[in-house]
Amino acid sequence: MRAPRTRRRRTLPALLALAALATTAAVTAVVPLTTPPAHAADPVVVREATFEDGTTQGFRARGGETVAVSTATAHGGTHSLLVSGRTASWQGPAVDLLDEMTKGTRYTLSVRVRLAAGQSPGQARLSVQRDADGSSAYDQVVGDTAVTADAWTQLTGTYVLAHDVDGLSAYVETASGTADLHIDDFVLSYRPTPPVQTDIPALREVLADDFPIGAAVGNRQLVGDQATLLTRHFDTVTPGNALKWDATQPTEGSFRWTDADTQVGFAVDHGLAVRGHTLVWHQQTPAWVFTDTDGTPLTADPADKALLLDRLETHVRTVVSRYGDRIGVWDVANEVIDENQADGLRRSRWYEISGLDYLRTAFRVAREVAPTAKLYLNDYNTNVPAKRDKLRNLVGQLRAEGVPVDGVGHQMHVNVQWPSVAETEAMLQAFVPLGVEQQITEMDVSIYTNEAESFPTPPADRLRTQAYRYRDLFDLYRRYADELTSVTLWGLADDDTWLDTFPVARKDAPLLFDTELQAKPAYWGIVDPTRIDATPSPSPTVTPSVTPSQTGSPYPTGNTPSSTPTSGLDTCRVTYTVTNQWPGGFQATVRITNTGVQAHPGWSLRWFFRDGQRVAQLWNGSVRQDGDMVTVTPASWNANLPAGGTVEVGFLGSWSSANNPPIGFTLDRLPCVVG
Ligand code: 9MR
């Protein structure tokens, strides 16, 4: 008989000690320009159950069924746990984990499942039950997965506890039926992750003169390291799901605010602005909205239409008024354009029943309830000319009628190849004549260009290409900073992205921070493109096998020719030289050459110190320093920096522990080459 494995349980202090070790390692390995992102250690097993000691090792029934150790079959060793006598599909083996799991840590749960001999094939899933204040909630860790009596199936998934709880358990259940089943080799583990980097510029400071920068969030982004990363880099948040109709009013008249209140409350407490997403959409809207009280689908007849608009008015009034001025921007309506229709209007249930009146009602009521909030029409693929033009026509028409549409949201779910910068610029330009605000609302850059590709870890060359895409698109956004009132990314880090399951299940990596919350080359694409090639990548280059395919999906992965840049920048070059250094003080010069084709009158040069240095006195210009961010503007006599021209400023500064050169040099917000 296999000996039971020792239970190893790592406490939070131990975890922090490991994290500290990781930091030390990263800091001592510092390269000249910045600390490389650290990568996680081996997993730490918090709890496991093999049943080899003949006990149930803490597993119990969920309700009335029988849970007992069995030697009829085992996954390794000779024992497993048999569950029999089930009378409902939710019954199954459960293990209490309240003392094992810490809020905010990302755990991996794994268990083997096999149906008992003679049972017909079925489906099983692995879930977590959370109990708080007498009520329970259920989170799926691994969805319905085929299981049989002939072989063991492994269910593995990750879970972050994002709520305060007084009870917590993991359990296996079946999608349907009451088959007897075995489980074996349950493991709960986590990987100690490196700490959030604090020696890199905060995105919100880098972009401070351009636009607020935001991230879509769920509850799990509000705890632990995720929260640290979020509040360090971002100005705004968009609840990714919590404000949608299915979340706020799942059944008529009963509103549910738990997650939305948590997310908006967190934002307010941390000084983050909130984009409200979304009041009207053809997805994530419960069926009752479009159904009569007797279950009949609503039609376009006047009584049905009145009922629908009445429900809409109640919904908008209730949701918007709950948050009042805590939500300054609302995506009042989402994805209402279908460029394949001659009139450009999506044939949603909203449209079929009410024509354009649902939009008129939603905007009118939102304005009434939140008179100072900015009201948006939000859509994807707004770069596609046909869609862009139809959206522009609709916005023009509604505004001409007096419908209070203040802004257009461009989702920007794009990829490493598509769309071109020129097409994206045309998208922004198209709305300028209307006099509306514009925002980038859901940006992510998939590493995939078609549905056939799939990488277990993102190849280095994809991450590099992605970084140049971020660089180019953000350069464009910066040029349109007067039009764009914010830019939001659809997620915080690659550990949690909707693209892991869309358009097919595979690991994607579309954001600026990796699955361990470390800055990716994409981050440097925005902050300091000269660092793109210096940022370590998690894996060697893999050349994917590419089979072009049509997605047929609403979010095409795109296959237009790449506009992706070369690594040269045609803007400016900076040379930073420490000419003298003594304990506590130093003197430096910064030489800027305009390598672009246009003059920079009244230029502004910016950089970020990394070691807490301060500028004490600067000559040949004026200086302002906010934290690590230094902004230099010219003196009267060097105010114009012509194409090909050079300006040199010098300064006296102070330093303490280290005096590494600054990073993130920009000239008029455009990144400069250093060297
Ligand atoms: O990020 C959201 C994801 O968690 C949901 O499963 C999905 C369901 O429709 O909605 C996602 O957010 C969408 C957003 O609300 C509208 N634009 C497309 C986004 C990605 O699907």
Side-chain angles (χ1 to χ4, degrees):
M1 182 166 107
R2 206 165 36 147
R5 288 177 217 152
T6 332
R7 186 176 136 179
R8 278 168 290 155
R9 179 155 170 239
R10 215 40 85 86
T11 57
L12 193 60
L15 201 172
L16 292 174
L18 276 166
L21 269 177
T23 331
T24 318
V27 170
T28 49
V30 78
V31 291
L33 280 172
T34 191
T35 307
H39 286 285
D42 290 337
V44 173
V45 175
V46 178
R47 176 83 180 251
E48 61 187 337
T50 62
F51 313 109
E52 296 297 313
D53 63 355
T55 76
T56 61
Q57 298 186 345
F59 274 82
R60 57 169 173 79
R62 292 192 78 213
E65 70 278 30
T66 304
V67 163
V69 174
S70 158
T71 51
T73 180
H75 180 263
T78 49
H79 292 62
S80 64
L81 190 76
L82 172 66
V83 187
S84 56
R86 300 168 69 227
T87 55
S89 61
W90 57 265
Q91 292 176 338
V95 61
D96 294 309
L97 296 173
L98 184 61
D99 293 338
E100 324 280 1
M101 295 176 80
T102 312
K103 201 171 147 189
T105 300
R106 184 169 185 240
Y107 292 93
T108 298
L109 289 93
S110 170
V111 66
R112 306 276 171 166
V113 181
R114 180 177 189 154
L115 296 181
Q119 304 282 353
S120 315
Q123 291 193 313
R125 56 181 181 243
L126 174 63
S127 307
V128 165
Q129 175 174 335
R130 291 184 269 122
D131 308 310
D133 303 327
S135 56
S136 299
Y138 309 92
D139 301 319
Q140 224 170 76
V141 178
V142 183
D144 291 338
T145 307
V147 286
T148 69
D150 303 327
W152 288 95
T153 301
Q154 185 173 18
L155 306 183
T156 306
T158 59
Y159 184 71
V160 179
L161 176 64
H163 301 78
D164 289 323
V165 290
D166 46 42
L168 189 70
S169 57
Y171 61 94
V172 174
E173 61 186 328
T174 48
S176 60
T178 56
D180 294 353
L181 58 89
H182 295 265
I183 65 163
D184 204 355
D185 289 346
F186 170 84
V187 182
L188 171 72
S189 62
Y190 68 87
R191 265 175 201 280
T193 46
V196 169
Q197 292 155 291
T198 52
D199 63 343
I200 58 173
L203 277 173
R204 60 185 164 75
E205 285 181 8
V206 173
L207 298 167
D209 286 348
D210 301 310
F211 34 72
I213 180 83
V217 297
N219 290 343
R220 84 184 245 188
Q221 278 74 38
L222 311 184
V223 287
D225 282 353
Q226 304 254 351
T228 307
L229 188 72
L230 178 68
T231 52
R232 182 174 160 74
H233 287 284
F234 292 90
D235 301 293
T236 82
V237 291
T238 304
N241 287 304
L243 286 165
K244 290 172 180 171
W245 197 310
D246 62 347
T248 49
Q249 197 187 177
T251 51
E252 185 154 24
S254 70
F255 286 85
R256 209 172 47 179
W257 307 111
T258 327
D259 288 348
D261 281 0
T262 304
Q263 292 169 28
V264 175
F266 177 94
V268 171
D269 290 348
H270 291 84
L272 300 161
V274 183
R275 295 195 82 258
H277 174 85
T278 174
L279 298 169
V280 185
W281 192 19
H282 61 283
Q283 286 183 37
Q284 288 180 275
T285 306
W288 68 260
V289 177
F290 308 114
T291 314
D292 212 338
T293 38
D294 62 8
T296 319
L298 298 184
T299 66
D301 86 41
D304 280 3
K305 175 174 167 179
L307 176 62
L308 181 75
L309 295 181
D310 197 41
R311 286 172 170 167
L312 176 61
E313 171 146 5
T314 303
H315 185 81
V316 173
R317 197 172 286 287
T318 311
V319 178
V320 175
S321 67
R322 180 167 186 92
Y323 296 105
D325 58 14
R326 288 182 291 163
I327 296 188
V329 182
W330 276 101
D331 286 332
V332 173
N334 195 34
E335 304 178 358
V336 303
I337 298 295
D338 175 357
E339 70 271 37
N340 299 315
Q341 301 293 340
D343 60 8
L345 301 172
R346 179 187 290 279
R347 276 16 182 195
S348 64
R349 295 292 288 132
W350 291 110
Y351 179 83
E352 285 167 356
I353 299 165
S354 79
L356 279 183
D357 283 344
Y358 75 101
L359 293 176
R360 299 184 178 109
T361 300
F363 277 92
R364 170 180 60 76
V365 178
R367 170 65 19 105
E368 228 174 279
V369 186
T372 57
K374 296 292 184 188
L375 307 181
Y376 271 66
L377 261 182
N378 187 47
D379 219 320
Y380 62 90
N381 286 0
T382 50
N383 53 286
V384 172
K387 187 148 189 185
R388 173 194 76 204
D389 294 343
K390 285 178 165 146
L391 176 60
R392 185 181 50 194
N393 292 346
L394 177 64
V395 173
Q397 178 193 334
L398 291 172
R399 281 169 62 91
E401 281 180 22
V403 178
V405 181
D406 300 314
V408 167
H410 306 285
Q411 292 185 6
M412 287 296 286
H413 292 293
V414 300
N415 72 31
V416 286
Q417 205 175 56
W418 174 92
S420 69
V421 172
E423 187 174 290
T424 312
E425 178 160 12
M427 166 190 95
L428 296 175
Q429 269 170 355
F431 292 90
V432 174
L434 293 184
V436 285
E437 281 189 6
Q438 298 188 62
Q439 298 191 342
I440 305 298
T441 54
E442 303 184 17
M443 183 175 181
D444 44 24
V445 180
S446 172
I447 60 169
Y448 298 109
T449 58
N450 61 62
E451 282 184 27
E453 294 178 337
S454 177
F455 310 119
T457 35
D461 58 349
R462 285 294 163 109
L463 294 180
R464 194 171 162 274
T465 307
Q466 181 187 54
Y468 286 113
R469 293 288 289 160
Y470 268 107
R471 179 196 73 179
D472 288 358
L473 289 168
F474 268 75
D475 280 355
L476 171 70
Y477 301 159
R478 285 165 158 134
R479 285 199 281 116
Y480 280 78
D482 290 343
E483 304 296 329
L484 285 171
T485 53
S486 77
V487 174
T488 292
L489 301 167
W490 206 241
L492 176 63
D494 289 344
D495 67 314
D496 188 9
T497 163
W498 74 291
L499 290 171
D500 282 352
T501 52
F502 183 91
V504 293
R506 61 186 169 188
K507 185 68 202 123
D508 208 333
L511 297 162
L512 305 181
F513 298 96
D514 67 17
T515 55
E516 294 169 357
L517 313 187
Q518 305 295 297
K520 293 167 57 187
Y523 161 91
W524 292 108
I526 298 172
V527 171
D528 181 359
T530 63
R531 299 284 307 134
I532 290 175
D533 295 314
T535 309
S537 294
S539 69
T541 301
V542 177
T543 308
S545 61
V546 176
T547 317
S549 76
Q550 283 299 319
T551 66
S553 79
Y555 308 101
T557 46
N559 50 14
T560 50
S562 170
S563 69
T564 310
T566 59
S567 49
L569 287 171
D570 186 28
T571 306
C572 50
R573 177 175 297 276
V574 163
T575 318
Y576 178 92
T577 316
V578 174
T579 51
N580 198 0
Q581 179 169 311
W582 56 95
F586 68 106
Q587 182 174 334
T589 58
V590 188
R591 192 180 161 82
I592 326 141
T593 305
N594 177 357
T595 51
V597 290
Q598 288 181 347
H600 285 258
W603 51 269
S604 163
L605 173 71
R606 172 166 292 172
W607 69 77
F608 292 84
F609 282 127
R610 291 178 298 138
D611 299 318
Q613 299 101 318
R614 307 280 314 169
V615 175
Q617 186 194 337
L618 179 135
W619 48 96
N620 295 351
S622 305
V623 68
R624 198 182 75 214
Q625 182 163 1
D626 304 303
D628 291 335
M629 182 171 84
V630 177
T631 310
V632 176
T633 44
S636 56
W637 44 267
N638 62 7
N640 189 30
L641 181 52
T646 292
V647 167
E648 189 170 289
V649 298
F651 69 89
L652 288 175
S654 62
W655 65 286
S656 50
S657 54
N659 191 18
N660 285 304
I663 53 177
F665 285 96
T666 54
L667 177 66
D668 291 341
R669 303 184 191 133
L670 298 169
C672 302
V673 171
V674 178

